[in-house]
């Protein structure tokens, strides 16, 4: 958690992209992830479990801020993330 900003193109499902990226951010840092045209509604209650909140989505880019501690076990193994993804999106 030592970078003020992390920018990534979605390299997997949203939950996997967020979980893998969160650990690089310092507290107060900004995570930017590209979004497809159909915007998502992010669940801040779940995001807070890994120290993030959704700030905004503009021009196909979702912005998140690290506001708290990230659990030591984050990110989990790829197999575990695929089997039991974080439910970071509202359905």
């Amino acid at each position: 958690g030592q970078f003020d900003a992390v920018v990534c193109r979605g390299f997997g499902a949203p939950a996997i992209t967020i979980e893998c990226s969160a650990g690089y951010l310092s507290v107060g840092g900004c995570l930017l992830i590209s979004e497809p045209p159909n915007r998502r509604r992010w669940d801040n209650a779940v995001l807070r479990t890994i120290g993030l909140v959704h700030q905004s989505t503009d021009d196909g880019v979702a912005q998140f801020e690290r506001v708290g501690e990230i659990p030591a076990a984050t990110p989990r193994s790829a197999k575990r993330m695929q089997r039991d993804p974080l439910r970071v999106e509202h359905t």
Side-chain angles (χ1 to χ4, degrees), residues 27-60:
V27 174
C30 176
L31 170 62
L32 301 173
I33 298 177
S34 63
E35 291 250 276
N38 57 343
R39 295 186 179 181
R40 295 179 175 88
R41 296 182 323 161
W42 299 96
D43 187 339
N44 273 326
V46 175
L47 289 168
R48 282 186 184 279
T49 67
I50 59 168
L52 298 176
V53 293
H54 176 241
Q55 295 293 317
S56 64
T57 300
D58 295 310
D59 297 325

Side-chain angles (χ1 to χ4, degrees), residues 3-85:
F3 296 101
D4 292 332
V6 173
V7 179
C8 61
R9 184 171 181 234
F11 52 82
I16 292 173
T17 302
I18 288 171
E19 189 169 348
C20 289
S21 305
Y24 291 103
L25 289 172
S26 58
V27 174
C30 176
L31 170 62
L32 301 173
I33 298 177
S34 63
E35 291 250 276
N38 57 343
R39 295 186 179 181
R40 295 179 175 88
R41 296 182 323 161
W42 299 96
D43 187 339
N44 273 326
V46 175
L47 289 168
R48 282 186 184 279
T49 67
I50 59 168
L52 298 176
V53 293
H54 176 241
Q55 295 293 317
S56 64
T57 300
D58 295 310
D59 297 325
V61 177
Q63 179 178 333
F64 304 87
E65 180 182 355
R66 179 169 170 200
V67 294
E69 292 302 314
I70 296 174
T74 302
R76 298 168 295 155
S77 71
K79 183 181 272 188
R80 177 116 191 260
M81 284 189 283
Q82 289 174 345
R83 185 176 60 237
D84 184 25

